[in-house]
Amino acid sequence: MSGMIPGAAAAMPGGAVTLPGMPVAHGSPWPAVPAPETLIASAHRRSAAYGLTPDSAADYTPLSRAELGILLDRHQALYRHATPVMESLYEQIIHTHHMVVLTDASGAILHTIGDADFLEKADRVALSPGVAWSEQSKGTNAIGTAIAEQSATVIHAGQHYLSANHFLTCSAAPIMDAGGKLIGVLDVTGDQHHFHRHTLGLVRMSAQMIENQLFTSSYPDAVLLHVHSRPEFIGTLMEGLICFRPDGQFLAASRSGVFQTGMHAAALQMHSFQSLFGISVSQLMDRLRHADGGLLALTLLNGIRIYVRGSDGLHSRRIIGHAASQLTLREQASATVRQADAVPDGLPALASGDAQIDAIISKLSKVAGKGIPVLLTGETGSGKERFARAIHQSSARRHQPFVALNCAAIPETLIEAELFGYEEGAFTGARKKGQKGKILQAHGGTLFLDEIGDMPLSLQARLLRVLQERAVLPVGAVSAIPVDIEVICATHQPLRQMIADKLFREDLYYRLNGMVVRLPALRERTDLAVVVQRMLAELDSQRTWEISEKVMQEFRRHPWPGNLRQLHSLLRTAMLMADDSGLIEVQHLPEDFWESLSAAQIQTASVTTMAAASSVQATAAVKTVAAAERQLIRDALAACEGNVSAAARQLGISRNTLYRKLAAESD
C-alpha cells in the first residue's frame, strides 16, 4: 500500500489529477483521466458512429414535467444525497460563470444550480433538467464521455464534438452506488474563458462525498469500518468504507475501501470479517473501546496493514457528515472573495472616494436596521450583494444570520421550497425531516433576495403575505410560523416596466421599495484605481500587487459591461499569467479583454458619428467610421515599423483582431 501523496494535489501521467490522501498506485479506485488526445479521439469516433456531425443540430427536447417527476422519483436517493453537496460545491464556484449539474446514469439532467448570467447562456444549449447529455445525443461532452469512460473527465472548448458547445468548459465525475454500479454524474460546466485546472478536483471530491453518503445509507444496520493505510485520513473523504453484518458476513466496500485492502472486489466477496482480519467483529469492537483515539491497526491476511475505526451505521453517517462539513473545497481566490463579501466593518468599509458611492453609503447608513426595506438596482455585477451584506453588518442585526437567495439561479419548480421551506413528505424527493426555508433561516437577521424581478408571480403573492403578516407557512404545513426579518432586495430589471407588463406585482413593489438605491456601473465611477487595488489585496493577501500605468490606461478606456464581477475575473486571470512577479502588465491581460475593448471602441465611434449625421447621411457615416478605423491601423503599423504585435497593443486590440481587419482591408 505505497504510493500515498501526503501533500497537495499533483498531476499524474496521462493527465490525471490526484488529491491529498488519494491512492495513486496501480489499481486506484479513482481511475486516471486518459490523456486528452486519446480520450478525445475515442470520444469523437464514438460520436461519429452515432451519426452525429460537428454541425449537427442537437436534440434539445426536454422531458415533460410529469416525465421529469417520474425520473426524479426513480432517483430519489441520488437526488436527496446529491442536492446538499451540489449546494456546497456551488458555494465554492459562485460568481465564476459556472453551474453545477447532476444527471442519472444515462446522462439525463436531474438538477442544476448556477450563476444567473451563465444560466442564460446554458439555456441556449439546453443545459437544464429533463434534457439528455449522453454522447449519443450531444456527442463528446464531459457528462456523456464520463459515462462512456467510467472516469472523471474534462472536455474543454473545441474538444466538444458539436460546434454549438465549443463555448463550454466542463468537468465531470461519475457517481457509483454501494455495489460499484454507475448511477449518475456530477458536473461543473462554465464559460470556456473561465477554465480552472482545480475544478475537476472539486468535482471528484464532491462526487466522493455523495458516494460515501449513499454507501452508509444503503446499509443502515451494518457494522461499518472506516479504513485507510494512514491514520490521519480516517474521518475524511479519502477514507475507505467496508461494511459487514453483525455476524461478520461481508456486505460491501466503497471504491477506496476495496483499494485499501489490496484485493479485488470479487475476492472480498469470498471473505468474512474473521477470515480477513483473524478476529471476530465482537473482538474488534472490544479492542476499539480501549484503543487510543478509537483507532486500531489491523493486518489483513495478505499482510497489508490498515488503520480501522468501527461504528454502526448511524455513527458512520455522523462521521461522514462531519468530514463533509470540515472539507474546504474553495480555491484561495474564492475564499478571499467570500471573506471580502462579508464586509465586517459595514458600509464605511465600502467608501472609496467616489462621490456617488459616498452619497449612497450616507443614505443607507441612516436606514440600516431601522425596519425600512431597501431595493438595490443597477447593472449585473455592480456590487448589489456586497452592499446588502454591508447594510446587514451596519445594523443591530449584524450578529444574526444574513441569508441570501438568488431568485434567478434556482429553477422555478424549486424556488418555493428554497424560500418558504417544506414539511416532511410535502413532495417527492423532499428531505426526510423537511427543510427550513431561507425566510426562517434568516429569523432575527437579514434576508437578501437577489434578482427579485425573476421571482415567479405565483410566489410574489406569498412573499407579500409574509411581509405583511410577519409569518411564513412552509409547503405542506398547516400553521404559519412567526418570523422577524429585515428584507433587502436587488434587481437589474426595470420593475416599473414589469409592473406595466403584468410581470411583477405592484403591491409587492411598493412593499419592497422603502428606499431605492441605484448602484452606479463601474464605468460611471471615479474610483477605479482604488477598486483595483482592493481586489488585488483580496485575491492575494500574502503580497502586494501592482498594476502598470499602461494597464490602468486600458482599464479606464474599457466600458466594463460585467462591472465588478468582470474586473475580478480579469484580475484573477492576469495574476495567474504574471506568475510571481507581483506586477500586472499589458501582456498579462487575456485576449477577450482586448476583443471586447476593441468592439466597444468601434461601437462608440459608430454611435457618435451616426448621431452627428442626418438620416440621409447615415450610410456615409458608417463608411466614414470604417475609413477612420483603417487609417488608425495604418498609422499604428507605420509607427511600429510594421510590428503587428506592437501595433495591436498600441490600438488596444488583440493580434488576431488586427490580422482580421488587415485581411478585410485587403479584400
Side-chain angles (χ1 to χ4, degrees):
M1 292 296 292
S2 61
M4 298 305 222
I5 295 181
M12 286 179 63
V17 173
T18 60
L19 299 164
M22 180 177 289
V24 298
H26 177 69
S28 167
W30 292 272
V33 180
E37 61 273 13
T38 304
L39 182 147
I40 299 303
S42 298
H44 281 197
R45 282 194 296 271
R46 288 194 299 268
S47 301
Y50 295 136
L52 299 173
T53 66
D55 296 327
S56 292
D59 180 10
Y60 294 151
T61 306
L63 297 175
S64 68
R65 180 168 295 189
E67 290 171 327
L68 179 59
I70 293 172
L71 188 67
L72 289 172
D73 191 53
R74 185 186 309 150
H75 299 290
Q76 186 177 146
L78 173 63
Y79 183 88
R80 182 172 67 253
H81 290 290
T83 301
V85 177
M86 292 176 68
E87 292 169 355
S88 176
L89 176 57
Y90 176 59
E91 283 297 312
Q92 324 311 318
I93 60 171
I94 194 169
H95 301 325
T96 61
H97 309 284
H98 282 76
M99 67 188 296
V100 184
V101 180
L102 175 71
T103 81
D104 68 3
S106 72
I109 297 179
L110 302 175
H111 183 41
T112 64
I113 309 173
D115 291 342
D117 56 350
F118 182 72
L119 286 175
E120 293 177 6
K121 295 181 180 179
D123 282 343
R124 299 204 305 259
V125 291
L127 267 164
S128 55
V131 178
W133 275 76
S134 62
E135 284 190 338
Q136 293 91 327
S137 173
K138 303 294 187 297
T140 306
N141 72 89
I143 293 169
T145 304
I147 292 172
E149 300 284 346
Q150 300 275 293
S151 161
T153 305
V154 175
I155 303 296
H156 179 66
Q159 293 177 334
H160 289 85
Y161 190 71
L162 298 186
S163 53
N165 297 330
H166 284 184
F167 74 98
L168 301 173
T169 183
C170 311
S171 302
I175 301 170
M176 306 294 185
D177 66 10
K181 178 183 176 183
L182 178 72
I183 58 170
V185 173
L186 185 67
D187 168 82
V188 167
T189 288
D191 187 295
Q192 62 147 319
H193 296 297
H194 299 277
F195 168 78
H196 199 287
R197 62 188 179 90
H198 293 314
T199 303
L200 183 61
L202 299 179
V203 174
R204 291 173 73 167
M205 294 180 81
S206 298
Q208 183 63 37
M209 189 186 304
I210 297 169
E211 286 187 6
N212 284 0
Q213 293 178 355
L214 281 167
F215 187 93
T216 56
S217 67
S218 298
Y219 301 97
D221 301 319
V223 174
L224 279 167
L225 299 187
H226 303 255
V227 303
H228 204 284
S229 62
R230 292 175 55 176
E232 63 266 32
F233 291 122
I234 300 290
T236 74
L237 292 177
M238 296 300 104
E239 70 180 2
L241 301 172
I242 310 175
C243 71
F244 298 85
R245 294 187 189 278
D247 63 3
Q249 180 182 340
F250 175 84
L251 290 174
S254 68
R255 282 191 282 171
S256 181
V258 172
F259 180 72
Q260 299 300 330
T261 67
M263 304 172 66
H264 292 292
L268 278 175
Q269 294 282 354
M270 307 296 293
H271 285 279
S272 66
F273 186 87
Q274 179 83 38
S275 66
L276 275 174
F277 297 105
I279 60 174
S280 67
V281 171
S282 59
Q283 288 174 313
L284 170 72
M285 291 305 180
D286 184 60
R287 292 188 188 181
L288 284 171
R289 277 192 289 271
H290 301 92
D292 185 24
L295 284 177
L296 192 66
L298 294 179
T299 302
L300 285 91
L301 59 85
N302 57 8
I304 289 177
R305 184 180 177 86
I306 61 173
Y307 290 86
V308 174
R309 175 179 287 147
S311 65
D312 58 24
L314 176 60
H315 183 58
S316 290
R317 287 191 290 278
R318 288 173 179 163
I319 291 174
I320 289 173
H322 176 72
S325 68
Q326 296 300 310
L327 181 64
T328 301
L329 291 175
R330 291 181 194 233
E331 301 161 24
Q332 182 180 357
S334 299
T336 53
V337 172
R338 184 172 78 259
Q339 182 181 9
D341 283 346
V343 195
D345 298 323
L347 287 163
L350 297 181
S352 57
D354 179 83
Q356 299 174 88
I357 297 298
D358 290 347
I360 289 170
I361 290 172
S362 177
K363 285 196 290 187
L364 292 176
S365 297
K366 294 176 182 178
V367 301
K370 300 297 193 301
I372 298 175
V374 174
L375 177 62
L376 302 172
T377 67
E379 296 179 7
T380 298
S382 55
K384 295 185 283 292
E385 181 169 352
R386 196 178 182 89
F387 265 88
R389 290 182 181 273
I391 295 169
H392 172 74
Q393 291 293 332
S394 296
S395 74
R397 297 173 180 258
R398 58 184 168 274
H399 298 301
Q400 300 301 318
F402 175 91
V403 179
L405 177 69
N406 188 324
C407 301
I410 300 177
E412 184 174 338
T413 54
L414 297 178
I415 191 171
E416 180 181 28
E418 285 289 324
L419 185 59
F420 299 100
Y422 55 82
E423 292 291 298
E424 179 179 353
F427 55 85
T428 299
R431 295 178 182 173
K432 186 174 181 181
K433 295 186 178 179
Q435 175 175 290
K436 184 186 289 187
K438 300 295 186 185
I439 294 175
L440 283 177
Q441 291 175 32
H443 178 66
T446 302
L447 176 67
F448 174 55
L449 297 176
D450 198 5
E451 300 301 352
I452 187 68
D454 289 277
M455 177 174 285
L457 268 171
S458 59
L459 298 188
Q460 292 177 25
R462 289 197 61 187
L463 176 61
L464 178 62
R465 192 175 306 117
V466 170
L467 299 179
Q468 290 173 336
E469 301 174 3
R470 294 290 160 175
V472 61
L473 183 68
V475 178
V478 295
S479 58
I481 303 171
V483 65
D484 171 27
I485 54 173
E486 291 274 354
V487 178
I488 302 173
C489 295
T491 185
H492 73 282
Q493 301 197 46
L495 292 187
R496 289 186 179 275
Q497 183 59 47
M498 292 182 69
I499 291 171
D501 295 337
K502 307 298 183 184
L503 297 175
F504 199 85
R505 292 181 63 102
E506 186 173 17
D507 48 4
L508 177 60
Y509 173 78
Y510 288 113
R511 190 81 187 187
L512 298 175
N513 76 336
M515 170 172 282
V516 180
V517 174
R518 178 189 172 274
L519 299 184
L522 183 57
R523 62 183 172 277
E524 300 170 358
R525 296 170 57 165
T526 60
D527 58 350
L528 179 60
V530 175
V531 172
V532 168
Q533 286 303 322
R534 285 184 178 176
M535 279 193 181
L536 289 172
E538 291 167 5
L539 285 165
D540 187 352
S541 60
Q542 303 302 312
R543 77 178 69 185
T544 300
W545 281 80
E546 297 181 3
I547 299 280
S548 74
E549 183 53 38
K550 177 62 175 174
V551 171
M552 282 306 304
Q553 290 175 7
E554 302 297 345
F555 280 4
R556 293 187 184 99
R557 296 165 57 201
H558 198 278
W560 299 109
N563 288 294
L564 296 172
R565 192 173 300 158
Q566 181 186 5
L567 176 61
H568 176 273
S569 179
L570 175 72
L571 290 176
R572 182 181 175 192
T573 301
M575 290 169 75
L576 290 172
M577 294 299 101
D579 295 321
D580 297 325
S581 67
L583 174 65
I584 294 177
E585 300 187 83
V586 171
Q587 63 267 28
H588 300 140
L589 301 180
E591 184 168 307
D592 60 337
F593 170 79
W594 301 111
E595 295 279 1
S596 58
L597 179 60
S598 174
Q601 290 173 333
I602 293 172
Q603 182 180 18
T604 300
S606 300
V607 170
T608 302
T609 306
M610 292 291 286
S614 66
S615 58
V616 177
Q617 299 169 322
T619 302
V622 173
K623 293 180 179 179
T624 300
V625 172
E629 181 186 89
R630 287 195 296 271
Q631 189 58 49
L632 282 172
I633 291 173
R634 293 192 194 101
D635 291 345
L637 285 169
C640 298
E641 299 179 345
N643 187 316
V644 174
S645 296
R649 284 196 295 271
Q650 181 174 312
L651 290 168
I653 61 178
S654 69
R655 285 187 305 166
N656 289 345
T657 300
L658 184 52
Y659 279 126
R660 283 200 301 271
K661 293 184 181 298
L662 290 171
E665 184 176 348
S666 64
D667 292 342

